Amino acid sequence: MSAVIQAPVKENEIVSYNPATNEEVGRVKNFSAEEVRQAVENSRKAFQVWRKTPFAERRRIVMRAREVILAQMDEIAKLISDEMGKPLAEAMSAEIAPVLDLMQFFAKNTEKMLRPEKRNIGLLGLMGRSSKIIYKPLGVVGIISPWNFPLSIPLGEVVMALMAGNTVVLKPSELTPVIGEKIAEILEVARLPKNVLQVVSGDGKTGSALVDANVDKIMFTGSVATGKKVAERAAKTLTPVVLELGGKDPMIVFADSNLDKASSAAVWGAFTNSGQACSSVERLYVQEKIAEKFTRLIVEKTEELQQGPGSDEDVEIGSMSSETQIKIVEDHVEEFRKSGADILTGGKRNESFKGVFFSPTVIKGANNEMRPMREETFGPTLPIATFKTEDEAIDLANDTDFGLTASVWTGDLTRGKRVAEKILAGTVMVNEVLYTHGIGQTPWGGFKDSGYGRTHGKEGLMELVAPQHIHINRFLLTPDVWWFGYSKNAVETFKQMSKTFSSGSVFRTLGFMPQMWKRIKELTKKKGE
Ligand code: NAD
């Protein structure tokens, strides 16, 4: 077995290695807790200016940052591939292209999405009152991100937070710190003012210092175990948290599907990024009558995949990210074996290369009782189970602690939609798989242990602002009927109010008017006494 170097975090420095070749990619500073606190303080000062920066200026900076990325696209894709292990093709298709789209969308639309909004307050509106919601930036947003999409996940969140008027302190993964610094550099070249975005590299200790630093929100993406620690710690300072956690995403394939297309989708959905996507297909349920044929197609297509260092343009499956990650995959494959499932192809490390490579693995005869069907694997494995009926498929898909995404394949779109709505997951795709994190316009997030809160879409933008209700009463002379000066007449007024005004009906409320005037007269008279 080849010796694999983990990214060592030293006292002052992190050395980043290419997991495919073990060569050094770069070194960055390791931030102490004190330095994190200082960064948050600097961020707070920068916020006082940035919050007043007009949308048009924020938009210009983000659009310039897009240009910087476009100008350095090959170099950035190579850096992603070198530091994380994914193929160059995926660095472009799954990171650069989607984040560029997200950037232009939020640059152009944030102002519109955060425009003050008048609310219909029903009958109170007829009483001279009006309500308006304005959206204020939160302040300093702390972003803690994982290594599996080291550019698109943090940069997308950074751009949304900045467009909403916040300043950001970003803690990238210790496995991909050089890309973290690249994000800061891109925005610096785009002339983002100093300290509006700061990157504090480091491992969990640095992340935890950021959680403790009293920021105004933590946007956390990572594992369930760390997410729980973050939520617990953040509760001590009442810091609100968005948690984007793991998945065990099911793919259901009905017999009436286009089997060629569905099998290609399953192979891509399970093995892209070496299976290290939170929305990877980690459980495949295929209808019994087509299971044999469908499994054969999957094995054939899997065996055609090109594996190797991601820097080669033809490579489809790169290395994994770390020794820790490959060990989880080995454990899960071994557990499948022990529980009686069949490994049809793959099942072991690919020793042809220096780094951490695991051969794409197809497993037949899996079922939900097996441990690796319940825990996130985060590696290139595709376990296949079977079902007979639609209801059974839904039950199997929902029989999990997770709920990030799911995918349903059928030639019958009515059935597709019906099944999709019964699956408990943040996103359910019909005849599609995995890619919707790339649609920045739609909400991203999970049900159950996959987390809470949303990133992306209008819902994600709303996580980055505080809605403020401005309520105005234009009737300057009359007191409110519910003010002090309680009496028999007051109680009668409130009784009638509950029956008429609170019904929302103008017609019924007309009958309330005499009693209301009686009460107002009572109040004004009392005041005059
Ligand atoms: P991880 O939980 O180990 O680390 C995530 C980040 O948290 C890293 O930056 C890490 O340094 C930091 N961290 C570690 N301990 C911390 C602590 N105590 N306090 C604060 N920060 C701490 O996850 P990972 O291995 O980097 O990423 C893989 C996981 O992320 C998988 O479970 C995957 O499903 C999940 N993920 C989820 C999404 C999503 O959108 N739902 C997207 C990508 C990845």
Side-chain angles (χ1 to χ4, degrees):
M1 191 192 302
S2 47
V4 175
I5 307 171
Q6 287 287 279
V9 180
K10 300 183 183 163
E11 198 180 332
N12 299 315
E13 189 180 58
I14 304 176
V15 187
S16 171
Y17 288 94
N18 180 332
T21 63
N22 288 341
E23 283 160 14
E24 185 178 321
V25 177
R27 288 167 188 243
V28 304
K29 180 176 157 60
N30 183 23
F31 280 69
S32 68
E34 183 44 41
E35 287 164 329
V36 170
R37 274 193 292 278
Q38 186 59 53
V40 171
E41 212 177 298
N42 296 342
S43 197
R44 268 201 199 291
K45 287 185 194 138
F47 174 64
Q48 296 312 328
V49 180
W50 181 249
R51 66 185 307 176
K52 296 182 203 136
T53 307
F55 278 109
E57 177 58 8
R58 297 180 203 163
R59 173 192 159 125
R60 274 192 290 276
I61 293 169
V62 171
M63 293 306 276
R64 273 202 297 270
R66 289 185 80 258
E67 293 306 317
V68 177
I69 296 173
L70 285 166
Q72 300 181 20
M73 190 147 73
D74 292 325
E75 183 198 316
I76 294 172
K78 181 164 182 331
L79 176 60
I80 295 173
S81 170
D82 284 352
E83 199 170 35
M84 189 264 153
K86 72 177 68 185
L88 264 179
E90 291 178 2
M92 300 262 185
S93 67
E95 299 233 39
I96 295 178
V99 86
L100 286 173
D101 187 48
L102 178 148
M103 288 169 85
Q104 65 77 23
F105 176 74
F106 283 99
K108 293 175 188 160
N109 293 292
T110 301
E111 183 174 12
K112 199 164 54 196
M113 289 159 91
L114 297 183
R115 213 165 259 162
E117 195 188 310
K118 234 185 131 188
R119 279 292 156 90
N120 179 353
I121 52 171
L123 297 180
L124 282 169
L126 301 177
M127 293 168 62
R129 289 136 214 267
S130 63
S131 279
K132 186 170 83 169
I133 314 299
I134 61 170
Y135 298 100
K136 297 179 126 176
L138 298 173
V140 181
V141 174
I143 298 177
I144 301 176
S145 52
W147 44 263
N148 63 335
F149 289 89
L151 180 80
S152 61
I153 291 179
L155 181 54
E157 291 177 12
V158 164
V159 164
M160 290 176 66
L162 296 181
M163 281 307 303
N166 303 288
T167 51
V168 175
V169 178
L170 164 66
K171 209 298 281 173
S173 166
E174 60 273 35
L175 291 181
T176 51
V178 180
I179 302 165
E181 294 217 327
K182 188 78 192 169
I183 291 174
E185 184 198 307
I186 290 166
L187 281 147
E188 194 184 324
V189 177
R191 304 202 287 281
L192 183 74
K194 193 163 182 264
N195 290 339
V196 172
L197 166 68
Q198 293 166 89
V199 173
V200 293
S201 306
D203 58 10
K205 279 195 209 129
T206 311
S208 147
L210 183 56
V211 177
D212 289 344
N214 231 338
V215 292
D216 298 287
K217 186 131 194 180
I218 287 285
M219 305 289 288
F220 173 82
T221 308
S223 60
V224 174
T226 314
K228 285 182 180 170
K229 286 189 206 158
V230 166
E232 201 177 323
R233 209 152 176 139
K236 296 197 172 121
T237 47
L238 288 182
T239 304
V241 185
V242 165
L243 295 178
E244 295 292 353
L245 309 178
K248 190 76 194 170
D249 295 0
M251 174 171 177
I252 298 174
V253 181
F254 286 101
D256 62 355
S257 306
N258 175 334
L259 295 195
D260 183 39
K261 200 173 158 195
S263 55
S264 296
V267 170
W268 183 76
F271 301 137
T272 184
N273 219 29
S274 274
Q276 301 165 116
C278 47
S279 48
S280 292
V281 173
E282 292 223 354
R283 296 178 289 146
L284 176 65
Y285 301 104
V286 56
Q287 203 156 21
E288 212 170 70
K289 51 189 149 180
I290 55 152
E292 209 182 310
K293 184 171 174 201
F294 193 67
T295 305
R296 202 168 50 243
L297 281 171
I298 284 181
V299 172
E300 277 166 25
K301 290 177 186 187
T302 301
E303 288 177 344
E304 282 166 11
L305 296 171
Q306 297 291 319
Q307 189 164 37
S311 52
D312 181 339
E313 283 179 348
D314 296 332
V315 158
E316 289 162 314
I317 310 281
S319 74
M320 298 202 61
S321 62
S322 67
E323 182 64 23
T324 316
Q325 206 52 49
I326 206 169
K327 282 200 168 123
I328 298 172
V329 179
E330 284 180 320
D331 167 51
H332 280 195
V333 169
E334 190 46 36
E335 185 65 25
F336 271 125
R337 249 194 213 109
K338 278 201 240 153
S339 320
D342 289 334
I343 313 298
L344 300 179
T345 186
K348 55 184 184 342
R349 289 183 191 237
N350 185 339
E351 305 275 6
S352 327
F353 309 100
K354 259 192 181 165
V356 276
F357 288 83
F358 200 88
S359 302
T361 300
V362 181
I363 299 155
K364 185 180 140 185
N367 66 58
N368 282 10
E369 305 314 311
M370 297 174 177
R371 177 170 61 83
M373 287 292 270
R374 313 202 72 84
E375 295 172 1
E376 186 180 44
T377 306
F378 225 55
T381 56
L382 180 53
I384 305 176
T386 58
F387 68 89
K388 287 197 178 75
T389 65
E390 185 177 310
D391 284 347
E392 190 191 355
I394 295 164
D395 288 347
L396 287 169
N398 283 336
D399 175 24
T400 172
D401 292 336
F402 294 96
L404 192 56
T405 82
S407 139
V408 181
W409 290 76
T410 171
D412 172 358
L413 290 186
T414 309
R415 166 160 62 187
K417 285 183 228 160
R418 183 174 65 230
V419 173
E421 287 178 17
K422 289 183 183 161
I423 293 181
L424 301 173
T427 300
V428 187
M429 293 157 272
V430 178
N431 297 333
E432 249 315 336
V433 75
L434 188 142
Y435 88 117
T436 56
H437 186 269
I439 313 176
Q441 294 83 348
T442 55
W444 177 262
F447 290 6
K448 304 195 258 182
D449 281 2
S450 291
Y452 48 73
R454 293 293 180 264
T455 57
H456 294 182
K458 178 150 190 200
E459 295 77 358
L461 192 62
M462 287 298 150
E463 299 279 4
L464 296 161
V465 288
Q468 185 179 40
H469 175 193
I470 307 286
H471 183 71
I472 294 174
N473 181 0
R474 289 184 178 74
F475 283 0
L476 300 181
L477 298 177
T478 45
D480 285 344
V481 292
W482 49 82
W483 287 357
F484 283 138
Y486 300 154
S487 62
K488 195 169 184 314
N489 181 44
V491 172
E492 179 54 31
T493 307
F494 305 149
K495 241 190 231 172
Q496 285 197 30
M497 192 170 143
S498 307
K499 290 181 187 162
T500 59
F501 185 84
S502 300
S503 72
S505 151
V506 182
F507 182 70
R508 293 187 73 176
T509 302
L510 284 176
F512 172 52
M513 289 299 143
Q515 178 62 34
M516 191 165 87
W517 280 119
K518 203 169 148 195
R519 169 72 178 144
I520 289 173
K521 257 198 259 159
E522 180 188 42
L523 281 171
T524 37
K525 192 167 151 236
K526 272 199 179 148
K527 210 177 147 206
E529 273 169 7

